[in-house]
Amino acid sequence: MQSLDIISVNLWQIVISLVNLLLLFLILKKFLFKPVKKVLEQRQSQLDAQYASADRAEALADEHRKEWEEKLSTANAEADAILQSAAENAKYRGEKLIAEAQDRADGIIRAAQTEAELERKKAADGIKREIVEVSGALTEKMLEREINTEDHRALIDSFIEEIGDGNE
Amino acid sequence: MRSKSRRLTAVDILLIILMILPFAIGILLKVLTAPPSEGISITGARVYFTIPMPIQDLPITEAQVNSVLVLISIFALCLFMTRGLKVKADSKRQHAVEWIVEKVEGLVKDSMGDYFAGFAPFIAAIIALSALSSLSSLLGLYPPTSDLNVVAGWAVLVFALITYYKFKCGPLGYLKGLAEPVAFLTPMNIISEVATPVSMAFRHYGNVLSGTVVAALVAAGLQGLSAMVFGWLPGALGDFPFLQIGIPAVLSIYFDVFSGCLQAYIFAMLTMMYVSGGFPAEDYEKRKEKKQARKNKQNNIHKENLEVN
């Protein structure tokens, strides 16, 4: 079996070696880099999708939070309004009650006044009559005789009338 | 059970066998055709048979056979590594193969730029073929990289790539590049163009071959030394080369493992450097823009014509 010289150049061997390297390049490209890169890309896209969905979820949560905060603030305002209206209502009713009470008290006072007036008048009338009777009896005693009661009464009446008028 | 996915399937085992089988065949071929030992003989690759071809006969040598065997082995390794890839990686195999791919792509992008990102498989092919070819000498095979023809083929391919990318800016640009920086240096430039693949081929081939030569010389020398030192021992003990134990192994670590891997790396680095360095990226960009602008202009004119009509 022979051997090549230690330095020997052979065109065909060079070509074969070149083709070998090209072949290995194609093999590595097709069977190593392509599948691995495909998997890497898939992983990347999956990762991207997950990130996107996480972002979406976050945005949704944010939206919800904002909504709730808004609702909460409006609820506060509503509660305030309700409280205010309740307070106003209470105030109004209280005032109304007070006014009614005042009215009624005024009425009572007026009624009492009129009654008192009536009583006073009644009492004055009573006194007049007493005076008439007393003066009649006095006059009878003074004159010591029976006088025409009718005449006297008229006389005294007019007299008392004058007195009463002067008193008033 | 998760371990089910990690267990080797029949196909995996087949692929592993396919990885190892080429080397076994190589060793078998070598053993079957080994000539009787005749002391130190430093020759080129052994010729199995010769095919008559035009221009030059084609001898099928150990180097050719071994490099094809390495090729088959790498193919099987590829298939084995990329089996059962999942989007959610859960096997060491997938982590390893992803690491390799990402490392090579990172290396290529770092030293060549993004434009040459497609070179990653080519660089990986150079490194794998060169390193495994050199390392096959550990198995006692004739390393294909110590045959000038094998490495010269790769260098010619790299030279073609370099020239192709230099021509990307048009033949005029290429010719102008040859006359730089001054016109009378043109012959020098042409020589340096041709010197690139020659130097690459000889560097790689010489390094690996020198390892083999030094290893053979050291082995022979140690045999002689051993005979001198232990020759007084009686019988077969006196003939036994004691000094050949251990010392060649240390040399082998340097010449076969370290030098082989280093030369693969150097060859790949030089390829990247020359291809990306020879490519006039800026001129190419300008040219492309100009072309685009011209195209746009033409389109606009066309549109205007249409509108006018």
Side-chain angles (χ1 to χ4, degrees), chain A residues 3-147:
Chain A
S3 290
L4 283 180
D5 290 334
I6 201 138
I7 299 180
S8 64
V9 177
N10 186 301
L11 182 71
W12 298 113
Q13 285 192 352
I14 290 176
V15 170
I16 286 176
S17 161
L18 194 153
V19 170
N20 275 351
L21 185 58
L22 267 182
L23 207 65
L24 187 63
F25 159 64
L26 292 177
I27 285 172
L28 286 189
K29 192 176 176 184
K30 183 115 176 45
F31 293 99
L32 181 69
F33 278 73
K34 209 170 132 196
V36 171
K37 284 188 85 169
K38 201 173 126 200
V39 163
L40 288 178
E41 260 163 32
Q42 272 173 0
R43 186 178 305 158
Q44 190 60 47
S45 64
Q46 217 174 54
L47 216 71
D48 286 346
Q50 270 172 7
Y51 267 121
S53 81
D55 280 348
R56 262 204 306 283
E58 205 182 350
L60 204 67
D62 243 25
E63 210 173 284
H64 276 306
R65 195 165 55 84
K66 232 174 251 171
E67 216 170 275
W68 282 113
E69 266 172 10
E70 225 165 78
K71 265 188 190 167
L72 210 64
S73 66
T74 53
N76 273 342
E78 255 169 51
D80 277 354
I82 287 169
L83 269 179
Q84 212 171 334
S85 75
E88 267 171 19
N89 219 352
K91 203 173 159 194
Y92 169 71
R93 269 167 71 180
E95 273 172 4
K96 206 168 143 192
L97 273 176
I98 288 169
E100 262 174 29
Q102 191 76 43
D103 272 3
R104 216 180 288 165
D106 282 355
I108 289 166
I109 288 170
R110 225 173 291 132
Q113 270 176 351
T114 45
E115 209 172 323
E117 190 73 16
L118 223 67
E119 286 292 318
R120 200 177 61 88
K121 260 187 187 161
K122 228 186 245 171
D125 279 0
I127 289 168
K128 262 186 209 169
R129 217 175 300 131
E130 291 273 317
I131 288 172
V132 170
E133 272 168 19
V134 168
S135 57
L138 272 176
T139 326
E140 253 175 59
K141 270 219 174 123
M142 272 162 67
L143 295 177
E144 292 271 338
R145 61 167 182 114
E146 197 80 29
I147 59 167

Side-chain angles (χ1 to χ4, degrees), chain B residues 4-297:
Chain B
K4 199 182 171 189
S5 63
R6 302 225 173 112
R7 210 184 299 146
L8 293 174
T9 60
V11 183
D12 285 334
I13 291 165
L14 189 80
L15 285 174
I16 291 174
I17 290 171
L18 214 64
M19 260 188 268
I20 299 165
L21 197 65
F23 292 112
I25 291 171
I27 293 169
L28 199 70
L29 267 175
K30 172 147 186 155
V31 169
L32 284 180
T33 62
S37 175
E38 47 204 29
I40 322 168
S41 66
I42 296 167
T43 57
R46 213 171 288 148
V47 179
Y48 289 129
F49 53 91
T50 307
I51 301 171
M53 291 281 267
I55 308 171
Q56 209 172 9
D57 284 350
L58 167 65
I60 298 299
T61 64
E62 227 181 332
Q64 300 290 319
V65 173
N66 285 355
S67 81
V68 171
L69 293 177
V70 168
L71 194 78
I72 293 167
S73 181
I74 294 175
F75 189 18
L77 183 70
C78 267
L79 290 179
F80 174 72
M81 292 294 267
T82 53
R83 258 184 61 77
L85 287 182
K86 284 190 206 111
V87 175
K88 274 190 183 168
D90 61 348
S91 64
K92 279 181 190 163
R93 203 191 301 174
Q94 184 169 353
H95 287 306
V97 76
E98 278 174 13
W99 184 82
I100 290 170
V101 167
E102 280 173 353
K103 273 281 153 189
V104 173
E105 292 209 311
L107 180 73
V108 169
K109 269 185 190 162
D110 279 351
S111 39
M112 296 181 87
D114 287 339
Y115 180 79
F116 289 103
F119 258 66
F122 183 67
I123 299 301
I126 286 178
I127 293 177
L129 198 54
S130 169
L132 275 181
S133 294
S134 298
L135 289 177
S136 70
S137 68
L138 285 177
L139 298 171
L141 295 173
Y142 182 87
T145 39
S146 68
D147 185 345
L148 178 59
N149 296 311
V150 172
V151 192
W154 305 350
V156 167
L157 184 54
V158 171
F159 177 69
L161 283 172
I162 295 170
T163 314
Y164 171 75
Y165 279 102
K166 279 188 177 170
F167 262 90
K168 272 245 159 170
C169 256
L172 264 175
Y174 179 71
L175 291 177
K176 212 168 74 188
L178 282 180
E180 270 169 7
V182 271
F184 79 88
L185 280 179
T186 308
M188 292 294 219
N189 283 330
I190 292 171
I191 289 172
S192 82
E193 286 289 305
V194 180
T196 303
V198 174
S199 77
M200 279 176 88
F202 271 95
R203 178 184 297 113
H204 198 326
Y205 143 82
N207 265 289
V208 179
L209 181 71
S210 71
T212 315
V213 171
V214 169
L217 287 178
V218 164
L222 284 175
Q223 196 171 15
L225 199 67
S226 195
M228 256 161 64
V229 176
F230 299 105
W232 50 271
L233 286 171
L237 225 52
D239 294 334
F240 193 78
F242 284 106
L243 289 176
Q244 270 189 0
I245 303 169
I247 297 172
V250 177
L251 286 174
S252 167
I253 286 177
Y254 176 77
F255 285 116
D256 291 337
V257 181
F258 179 70
S259 185
C261 293
L262 191 69
Q263 286 309 315
Y265 180 70
I266 288 174
F267 198 92
M269 284 309 279
L270 286 177
T271 304
M272 289 192 276
M273 243 177 60
Y274 284 135
V275 172
S276 65
F279 176 63
E282 286 172 19
D283 290 349
Y284 181 69
E285 282 297 315
K286 269 186 213 157
R287 207 174 134 93
K288 216 162 123 189
E289 270 172 30
K290 231 187 254 172
K291 256 188 191 169
Q292 193 64 40
R294 211 182 300 145
K295 215 177 186 180
N296 286 345
K297 218 176 182 182

